[in-house]
mmCIF file of all heavy atoms in Angstrom:
data_model
loop_
_atom_site.group_PDB
_atom_site.id
_atom_site.type_symbol
_atom_site.label_atom_id
_atom_site.label_comp_id
_atom_site.label_asym_id
_atom_site.label_seq_id
_atom_site.Cartn_x
_atom_site.Cartn_y
_atom_site.Cartn_z
ATOM 1 N N ALA A 1694 108.070 148.082 76.192
ATOM 2 C CA ALA A 1694 106.990 148.273 75.225
ATOM 3 C C ALA A 1694 106.356 146.957 74.809
ATOM 4 O O ALA A 1694 105.201 146.921 74.379
ATOM 5 C CB ALA A 1694 107.526 148.993 73.991
ATOM 6 N N ASN A 1695 107.123 145.858 74.952
ATOM 7 C CA ASN A 1695 106.609 144.568 74.499
ATOM 8 C C ASN A 1695 105.935 143.756 75.602
ATOM 9 O O ASN A 1695 105.428 142.683 75.340
ATOM 10 C CB ASN A 1695 107.758 143.742 73.917
ATOM 11 C CG ASN A 1695 108.247 144.332 72.612
ATOM 12 O OD1 ASN A 1695 107.458 144.900 71.860
ATOM 13 N ND2 ASN A 1695 109.535 144.233 72.374
ATOM 14 N N VAL A 1696 105.977 144.294 76.810
ATOM 15 C CA VAL A 1696 105.372 143.550 77.914
ATOM 16 C C VAL A 1696 103.882 143.369 77.646
ATOM 17 O O VAL A 1696 103.184 144.306 77.256
ATOM 18 C CB VAL A 1696 105.596 144.289 79.251
ATOM 19 C CG1 VAL A 1696 104.739 143.661 80.358
ATOM 20 C CG2 VAL A 1696 107.053 144.232 79.635
ATOM 21 N N GLY A 1697 103.419 142.170 77.827
ATOM 22 C CA GLY A 1697 101.998 141.902 77.588
ATOM 23 C C GLY A 1697 101.687 141.609 76.142
ATOM 24 O O GLY A 1697 100.550 141.351 75.797
ATOM 25 N N ARG A 1698 102.728 141.604 75.288
ATOM 26 C CA ARG A 1698 102.473 141.315 73.871
ATOM 27 C C ARG A 1698 102.945 139.913 73.511
ATOM 28 O O ARG A 1698 103.280 139.653 72.363
ATOM 29 C CB ARG A 1698 103.203 142.329 72.993
ATOM 30 C CG ARG A 1698 102.655 143.720 73.120
ATOM 31 C CD ARG A 1698 103.345 144.629 72.130
ATOM 32 N NE ARG A 1698 102.920 146.006 72.345
ATOM 33 C CZ ARG A 1698 103.454 147.017 71.704
ATOM 34 N NH1 ARG A 1698 104.417 146.822 70.823
ATOM 35 N NH2 ARG A 1698 103.029 148.230 71.937
ATOM 36 N N CYS A 1699 103.032 139.089 74.502
ATOM 37 C CA CYS A 1699 103.548 137.751 74.265
ATOM 38 C C CYS A 1699 102.481 136.856 73.664
ATOM 39 O O CYS A 1699 102.018 135.898 74.263
ATOM 40 C CB CYS A 1699 104.067 137.149 75.561
ATOM 41 S SG CYS A 1699 105.053 135.720 75.258
ATOM 42 N N THR A 1700 102.053 137.245 72.493
ATOM 43 C CA THR A 1700 101.032 136.447 71.811
ATOM 44 C C THR A 1700 101.517 136.167 70.403
ATOM 45 O O THR A 1700 102.400 136.858 69.890
ATOM 46 C CB THR A 1700 99.702 137.215 71.734
ATOM 47 O OG1 THR A 1700 99.956 138.504 71.152
ATOM 48 C CG2 THR A 1700 99.092 137.388 73.105
ATOM 49 N N LEU A 1701 100.967 135.168 69.805
ATOM 50 C CA LEU A 1701 101.376 134.824 68.450
ATOM 51 C C LEU A 1701 100.973 135.948 67.506
ATOM 52 O O LEU A 1701 99.838 136.445 67.577
ATOM 53 C CB LEU A 1701 100.718 133.514 68.021
ATOM 54 C CG LEU A 1701 101.176 132.271 68.802
ATOM 55 C CD1 LEU A 1701 100.379 131.059 68.357
ATOM 56 C CD2 LEU A 1701 102.664 132.033 68.614
ATOM 57 N N PRO A 1702 101.876 136.366 66.639
ATOM 58 C CA PRO A 1702 101.560 137.476 65.733
ATOM 59 C C PRO A 1702 100.597 137.039 64.631
ATOM 60 O O PRO A 1702 100.480 135.843 64.364
ATOM 61 C CB PRO A 1702 102.925 137.827 65.145
ATOM 62 C CG PRO A 1702 103.685 136.556 65.193
ATOM 63 C CD PRO A 1702 103.217 135.835 66.413
ATOM 64 N N PRO A 1703 99.922 137.996 64.007
ATOM 65 C CA PRO A 1703 99.025 137.653 62.897
ATOM 66 C C PRO A 1703 99.821 136.932 61.813
ATOM 67 O O PRO A 1703 100.957 137.302 61.522
ATOM 68 C CB PRO A 1703 98.520 139.013 62.401
ATOM 69 C CG PRO A 1703 98.783 139.957 63.528
ATOM 70 C CD PRO A 1703 99.958 139.425 64.267
ATOM 71 N N GLY A 1704 99.228 135.924 61.243
ATOM 72 C CA GLY A 1704 99.908 135.203 60.171
ATOM 73 C C GLY A 1704 100.867 134.139 60.649
ATOM 74 O O GLY A 1704 101.493 133.463 59.845
ATOM 75 N N PHE A 1705 101.017 133.987 61.994
ATOM 76 C CA PHE A 1705 101.912 132.948 62.496
ATOM 77 C C PHE A 1705 101.378 131.596 62.040
ATOM 78 O O PHE A 1705 100.168 131.371 62.073
ATOM 79 C CB PHE A 1705 101.951 132.999 64.035
ATOM 80 C CG PHE A 1705 102.855 131.965 64.643
ATOM 81 C CD1 PHE A 1705 104.216 132.213 64.774
ATOM 82 C CD2 PHE A 1705 102.360 130.743 65.047
ATOM 83 C CE1 PHE A 1705 105.062 131.257 65.325
ATOM 84 C CE2 PHE A 1705 103.199 129.781 65.587
ATOM 85 C CZ PHE A 1705 104.553 130.043 65.728
ATOM 86 N N PRO A 1706 102.201 130.663 61.590
ATOM 87 C CA PRO A 1706 103.649 130.717 61.686
ATOM 88 C C PRO A 1706 104.363 131.262 60.448
ATOM 89 O O PRO A 1706 105.560 131.508 60.488
ATOM 90 C CB PRO A 1706 103.999 129.242 61.869
ATOM 91 C CG PRO A 1706 102.960 128.524 61.097
ATOM 92 C CD PRO A 1706 101.708 129.332 61.234
ATOM 93 N N SER A 1707 103.612 131.494 59.323
ATOM 94 C CA SER A 1707 104.312 131.839 58.087
ATOM 95 C C SER A 1707 104.941 133.221 58.121
ATOM 96 O O SER A 1707 105.843 133.516 57.353
ATOM 97 C CB SER A 1707 103.338 131.737 56.903
ATOM 98 O OG SER A 1707 102.260 132.622 57.121
ATOM 99 N N ALA A 1708 104.481 134.068 59.049
ATOM 100 C CA ALA A 1708 104.962 135.451 59.057
ATOM 101 C C ALA A 1708 106.351 135.611 59.673
ATOM 102 O O ALA A 1708 106.940 136.681 59.593
ATOM 103 C CB ALA A 1708 103.970 136.337 59.806
ATOM 104 N N ILE A 1709 106.862 134.558 60.294
ATOM 105 C CA ILE A 1709 108.196 134.708 60.907
ATOM 106 C C ILE A 1709 109.176 133.745 60.247
ATOM 107 O O ILE A 1709 108.761 132.764 59.615
ATOM 108 C CB ILE A 1709 108.143 134.456 62.430
ATOM 109 C CG1 ILE A 1709 107.724 133.007 62.732
ATOM 110 C CG2 ILE A 1709 107.229 135.432 63.129
ATOM 111 C CD1 ILE A 1709 107.860 132.652 64.195
ATOM 112 N N PRO A 1710 110.463 134.026 60.379
ATOM 113 C CA PRO A 1710 111.466 133.174 59.722
ATOM 114 C C PRO A 1710 111.309 131.713 60.148
ATOM 115 O O PRO A 1710 110.954 131.426 61.292
ATOM 116 C CB PRO A 1710 112.800 133.750 60.215
ATOM 117 C CG PRO A 1710 112.485 135.145 60.625
ATOM 118 C CD PRO A 1710 111.076 135.143 61.098
ATOM 119 N N SER A 1711 111.622 130.824 59.210
ATOM 120 C CA SER A 1711 111.366 129.404 59.469
ATOM 121 C C SER A 1711 112.147 128.865 60.664
ATOM 122 O O SER A 1711 111.640 128.040 61.421
ATOM 123 C CB SER A 1711 111.669 128.585 58.222
ATOM 124 O OG SER A 1711 113.028 128.753 57.875
ATOM 125 N N ALA A 1712 113.390 129.329 60.851
ATOM 126 C CA ALA A 1712 114.194 128.824 61.979
ATOM 127 C C ALA A 1712 113.544 129.201 63.314
ATOM 128 O O ALA A 1712 113.430 128.379 64.221
ATOM 129 C CB ALA A 1712 115.607 129.376 61.904
ATOM 130 N N SER A 1713 113.076 130.430 63.398
ATOM 131 C CA SER A 1713 112.429 130.890 64.629
ATOM 132 C C SER A 1713 111.104 130.173 64.827
ATOM 133 O O SER A 1713 110.720 129.810 65.939
ATOM 134 C CB SER A 1713 112.182 132.393 64.572
ATOM 135 O OG SER A 1713 113.386 133.059 64.318
ATOM 136 N N ARG A 1714 110.429 129.996 63.693
ATOM 137 C CA ARG A 1714 109.140 129.296 63.753
ATOM 138 C C ARG A 1714 109.341 127.894 64.324
ATOM 139 O O ARG A 1714 108.614 127.446 65.205
ATOM 140 C CB ARG A 1714 108.573 129.197 62.334
ATOM 141 C CG ARG A 1714 107.158 128.699 62.252
ATOM 142 C CD ARG A 1714 106.775 128.341 60.834
ATOM 143 N NE ARG A 1714 107.236 129.333 59.869
ATOM 144 C CZ ARG A 1714 107.396 129.094 58.578
ATOM 145 N NH1 ARG A 1714 107.158 127.892 58.087
ATOM 146 N NH2 ARG A 1714 107.809 130.039 57.763
ATOM 147 N N LEU A 1715 110.396 127.226 63.849
ATOM 148 C CA LEU A 1715 110.681 125.868 64.299
ATOM 149 C C LEU A 1715 110.982 125.853 65.796
ATOM 150 O O LEU A 1715 110.523 124.982 66.539
ATOM 151 C CB LEU A 1715 111.859 125.288 63.512
ATOM 152 C CG LEU A 1715 112.193 123.828 63.817
ATOM 153 C CD1 LEU A 1715 111.028 122.922 63.458
ATOM 154 C CD2 LEU A 1715 113.447 123.391 63.075
ATOM 155 N N ALA A 1716 111.758 126.842 66.223
ATOM 156 C CA ALA A 1716 112.122 126.904 67.648
ATOM 157 C C ALA A 1716 110.874 127.047 68.518
ATOM 158 O O ALA A 1716 110.711 126.339 69.513
ATOM 159 C CB ALA A 1716 113.069 128.073 67.891
ATOM 160 N N VAL A 1717 109.997 127.954 68.106
ATOM 161 C CA VAL A 1717 108.786 128.183 68.901
ATOM 162 C C VAL A 1717 107.883 126.956 68.874
ATOM 163 O O VAL A 1717 107.348 126.531 69.899
ATOM 164 C CB VAL A 1717 108.023 129.429 68.380
ATOM 165 C CG1 VAL A 1717 106.676 129.567 69.073
ATOM 166 C CG2 VAL A 1717 108.855 130.676 68.601
ATOM 167 N N GLN A 1718 107.777 126.376 67.680
ATOM 168 C CA GLN A 1718 106.912 125.198 67.558
ATOM 169 C C GLN A 1718 107.465 124.029 68.364
ATOM 170 O O GLN A 1718 106.719 123.282 69.004
ATOM 171 C CB GLN A 1718 106.754 124.802 66.088
ATOM 172 C CG GLN A 1718 105.834 125.761 65.338
ATOM 173 C CD GLN A 1718 105.752 125.451 63.851
ATOM 174 O OE1 GLN A 1718 106.685 124.898 63.281
ATOM 175 N NE2 GLN A 1718 104.654 125.835 63.243
ATOM 176 N N THR A 1719 108.801 123.862 68.344
ATOM 177 C CA THR A 1719 109.408 122.761 69.103
ATOM 178 C C THR A 1719 109.235 122.977 70.599
ATOM 179 O O THR A 1719 108.928 122.041 71.343
ATOM 180 C CB THR A 1719 110.905 122.642 68.758
ATOM 181 O OG1 THR A 1719 111.013 122.489 67.358
ATOM 182 C CG2 THR A 1719 111.532 121.452 69.462
ATOM 183 N N THR A 1720 109.420 124.210 71.007
ATOM 184 C CA THR A 1720 109.227 124.510 72.424
ATOM 185 C C THR A 1720 107.785 124.215 72.831
ATOM 186 O O THR A 1720 107.523 123.634 73.891
ATOM 187 C CB THR A 1720 109.549 125.988 72.708
ATOM 188 O OG1 THR A 1720 110.858 126.254 72.232
ATOM 189 C CG2 THR A 1720 109.482 126.293 74.196
ATOM 190 N N SER A 1721 106.866 124.602 71.974
ATOM 191 C CA SER A 1721 105.448 124.338 72.260
ATOM 192 C C SER A 1721 105.192 122.846 72.333
ATOM 193 O O SER A 1721 104.428 122.374 73.187
ATOM 194 C CB SER A 1721 104.567 124.947 71.171
ATOM 195 O OG SER A 1721 104.776 126.330 71.109
#
Side-chain angles (χ1 to χ4, degrees):
Chain A
N1695 291 327
V1696 169
R1698 293 185 186 174
C1699 194
T1700 53
L1701 294 176
F1705 180 85
S1707 59
I1709 63 171
S1711 60
S1713 305
R1714 189 193 317 159
L1715 184 62
V1717 172
Q1718 286 175 333
T1719 304
T1720 305
S1721 300

